[in-house]
Each structure stands twice: as C-alpha cells, then as structure tokens.
C-alpha cells in the first residue's frame, strides 16, 4: 500500500517552501479575539493562524502592537448608555458599573486598560463620549477628564480584582469560610463581624462606587477649576 503524501495547499505552502500563507490584520484580530487578551501572545496567534510568529511582524509592532490591535477591537464593542435624566452622580455610577460589567465579560481586558489607557482610537472615543456627557452636565472639559478618569480607574480596579479572584476559584470558597471562621473566633474582631451582612460582589462595587462618587463630587462640583480642586485636596491631606 502506498503512502499518500498529498498535503493541503496551506500546509504545502508553509512546510515545503511554497508561497507563504497570506494573512492580514483582520485575521490577526479574529484570532486574537478568539484567544482573548488573557491568553494573547504572538506565538498563540501564529499557531492559530498556522503561520510563524515572524509573519505577524509584517502587520503588528511586536507584543505591544498585537495587544493594541486586539484590545482596541474589543473596546470598539463598548457602547455606554447615557440616560439624560440621570444627574451627575447617577450618570457616573452607571458609567462605572457598565464599564466593570463589560470588562468582566472579556478576560484580560482589565490588565490591558490598567497598563496604559488610552492606546488607540477606541479608547479615545470612549474618553470623548464620557467627556461630552459630563460637559452636558455643566463641567469644563479638563474637570470632566479628571472626574471620568477617576471613576474609570475605580471600575477597572474592581474588575481586575474580581477577575484575579475568579481565576483562583478552585478551593476559594473553602479558604473564604476558613478566614471568616478565624475572624469570628478572634476576640479582638469577633463582635465587629458578628452582625455584618453578606454583600455580593456587584452590590459591594455599587456601594463603594457610590461612596467614592460622593467624595469626588463634593471635591469637584461643576464650575470649580481643576487647579482649585487639586489645591483643596492637597490641603485636606496635609500633615498625613
């Protein structure tokens, strides 16, 4: 019985010196999105596309370029809903919660945003949309940027912490129960923990964002110049 050496056109092209398989940025984005930012690497994308990692360098500037290409594609899917009936506090709370939910549905996006933001057009569009939403509520552009950036940083940070915890779910509930039991058995801490309510992650983030927003809006009401906001905050923290 003879051996069939027939290869597919793509395999023949890449394995025996024929014409290299042709890819473009659309292929790279598709493969990167399928992998997700948490598993993204030049080698992983190259393997999925059945090309060498070197072939990717014709289209992306190394790891940073690959991250930006895929990350901005993911961010391009984010459409924030701005209810014109919302006052500034409710608007910013909604902004933070929508951003957190979007990030949690896309593993690795929190790290992308924490490392450097904005990196491309999708990030700039997100900033511009939120800036416009706060300008409509009476803020100057520089104050709007400071305020929206602070809320985004909080939401991204919460999402990153939740993602890290979610990635370690194996045995986590048991560890959490052990830690809580130890707190309740500690005479220094037991009475304070005895009547604490159970608050789920989403409600916890909502509560913390609401509290933080109260402070942010007190420090940065519409019409107060950014320089004055910073000076006031510095004065409040003097001596610490």
């Amino acid at each position: 019985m003879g051996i069939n050496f027939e290869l597919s056109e793509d395999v023949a092209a890449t394995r025996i010196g024929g014409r290299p398989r042709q890819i473009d940025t659309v292929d790279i984005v598709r493969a990167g999105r399928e992998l997700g930012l948490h598993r993204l690497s030049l080698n992983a994308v190259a393997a999925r596309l059945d090309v060498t990692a070197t072939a990717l360098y014709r289209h992306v500037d190394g790891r940073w370029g690959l991250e930006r290409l895929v990350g901005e594609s993911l961010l391009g899917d984010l459409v924030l809903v701005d209810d014109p009936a919302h006052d500034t506090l409710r608007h910013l709370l909604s902004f933070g919660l929508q951003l957190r939910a979007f990030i949690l549905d896309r593993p690795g996006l929190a790290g992308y945003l924490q490392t450097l933001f904005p990196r491309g057009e999708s990030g700039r569009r997100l900033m511009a949309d939120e800036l416009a939403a706060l300008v409509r509520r009476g803020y100057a552009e520089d104050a709007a940027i400071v305020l929206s950036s602070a809320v985004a940083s909080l939401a991204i940070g919460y999402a990153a912490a939740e993602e890290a915890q979610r990635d370690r779910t194996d045995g986590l509930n048991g560890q959490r129960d052990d830690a809580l039991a130890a707190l309740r058995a500690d005479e220094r801490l037991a009475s304070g923990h005895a009547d604490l309510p159970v608050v789920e992650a989403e409600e916890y983030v909502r509560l913390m964002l609401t509290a933080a927003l109260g402070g942010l809006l007190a420090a940065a009401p519409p019409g107060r110049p950014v320089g004055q906001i910073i000076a006031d905050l510095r004065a409040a923290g003097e001596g610490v």
Side-chain angles (χ1 to χ4, degrees):
M1 179 182 294
I3 300 175
N4 184 0
F5 285 103
E6 183 178 353
L7 299 174
S8 70
E9 184 178 347
D10 282 348
V11 174
T14 56
R15 292 186 182 177
I16 58 176
R19 182 182 178 186
R21 182 180 178 188
Q22 298 300 305
I23 61 169
D24 56 26
T25 55
V26 172
D27 298 314
I28 296 171
V29 169
R30 173 181 51 78
R33 289 178 64 111
E34 290 170 356
L35 287 164
L37 284 169
H38 62 311
R39 294 185 295 164
L40 189 70
S41 71
L42 289 164
N43 287 334
V45 171
R48 186 164 286 253
L49 294 175
D50 196 24
V51 298
T52 65
T54 303
L56 299 184
Y57 281 92
R58 301 188 183 98
H59 306 281
V60 297
D61 183 16
R63 167 74 188 198
W64 285 97
L66 178 62
E67 274 191 354
R68 184 172 62 251
L69 189 66
V70 177
E72 293 303 304
S73 174
L74 290 169
L75 274 181
D77 295 339
L78 176 56
V79 178
L80 294 170
V81 177
D82 175 18
D83 187 337
H86 282 175
D87 60 15
T88 304
L89 189 149
R90 293 174 68 198
H91 165 74
L92 288 172
L93 179 59
S94 176
F95 165 57
L97 293 175
Q98 288 181 70
L99 182 57
R100 166 188 167 271
F102 182 85
I103 292 169
L104 287 176
D105 282 342
R106 292 155 181 81
L109 185 57
Y112 173 79
L113 294 172
Q114 283 185 315
T115 301
L116 179 63
F117 179 82
R119 299 197 205 183
E121 171 56 28
S122 293
R124 292 191 294 271
R125 186 263 307 164
L126 176 62
M127 288 186 68
D129 287 349
E130 185 54 24
L131 183 151
L134 289 174
V135 167
R136 288 194 294 271
R137 289 169 170 84
Y139 280 87
E141 290 188 352
D142 55 354
I145 289 173
V146 170
L147 195 54
S148 59
S149 296
V151 176
S153 294
L154 289 169
I156 294 165
Y158 285 129
E162 290 176 78
E163 184 177 289
Q165 197 171 61
R166 187 173 61 187
D167 289 343
R168 301 186 64 190
T169 53
D170 185 26
L172 178 60
N173 288 336
Q175 292 295 318
R176 185 183 290 116
D177 291 342
D178 290 345
L180 183 57
L183 286 170
R184 289 173 174 166
D186 190 319
E187 63 181 16
R188 299 165 301 177
L189 302 168
S191 61
H193 283 83
D195 298 321
L196 285 180
V198 176
V199 180
E200 298 299 330
E202 185 160 351
E203 181 64 12
Y204 175 82
V205 172
R206 178 182 292 272
L207 291 171
M208 291 300 101
L209 275 177
T210 301
L213 284 169
L216 284 170
L217 295 178
R224 180 173 293 178
V226 168
Q228 187 60 54
I229 294 170
I230 294 173
D232 291 345
L233 291 172
R234 281 176 177 161
E238 286 182 356
V240 176

